[in-house]
C-alpha cells in the first residue's frame, strides 16, 4: 500500500536539476528525506546559503515508509 499522507497525490516523479560544476554554499545537507529537508529549510530560513543534495527522489525511500515521526535517539549527548 501507500502511506496515508500520499493518498490522493499523483505518482508524479518530480525532477530537479543535476548538480554539476563548482558551487559555493555555506551549508551542504546530504539527504532529502524528512530530517534533511527540515534541516535545510531551517538554515535557508535563517538566511544561510544552503544546498540540499539527494541522490534519488526528495522525501522518498525510508521517509515515505516511515510513520513521519522524528524521535530523539536514546544516545549520550
Amino acid at each position: 500500500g501507500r502511506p496515508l499522507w500520499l493518498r490522493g497525490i499523483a505518482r508524479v516523479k518530480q525532477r530537479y536539476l543535476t548538480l554539476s560544476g563548482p558551487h559555493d554554499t555555506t551549508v551542504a545537507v546530504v539527504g532529502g528525506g524528512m530530517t534533511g529537508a527540515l534541516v535545510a529549510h531551517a538554515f535557508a530560513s535563517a538566511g544561510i546559503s544552503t544546498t540540499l543534495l539527494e541522490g534519488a527522489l526528495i522525501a522518498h525511500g525510508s521517509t515515505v515508509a516511515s510513520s513521519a515521526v522524528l524521535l530523539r535517539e536514546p544516545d549520550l549527548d
Side-chain angles (χ1 to χ4, degrees):
R2 295 184 71 195
L4 293 174
W5 50 89
L6 289 182
R7 289 189 181 161
I9 297 175
R11 293 182 184 230
V12 175
K13 293 187 177 185
Q14 180 67 44
R15 295 288 176 201
Y16 297 93
L17 297 175
T18 300
L19 186 67
S20 64
H23 289 275
D24 186 23
T25 191
T26 303
V27 174
V29 178
V30 179
M34 185 171 18
T35 304
L38 288 171
V39 168
H41 181 267
F43 277 110
S45 294
I48 299 169
S49 173
T50 306
T51 302
L52 176 62
L53 304 168
E54 170 57 52
L57 295 174
I58 298 291
H60 281 67
S62 61
T63 290
V64 80
S66 75
S67 62
V69 176
L70 293 179
L71 300 172
R72 180 177 177 191
E73 290 293 324
D75 272 338
L76 296 174
D77 288 338

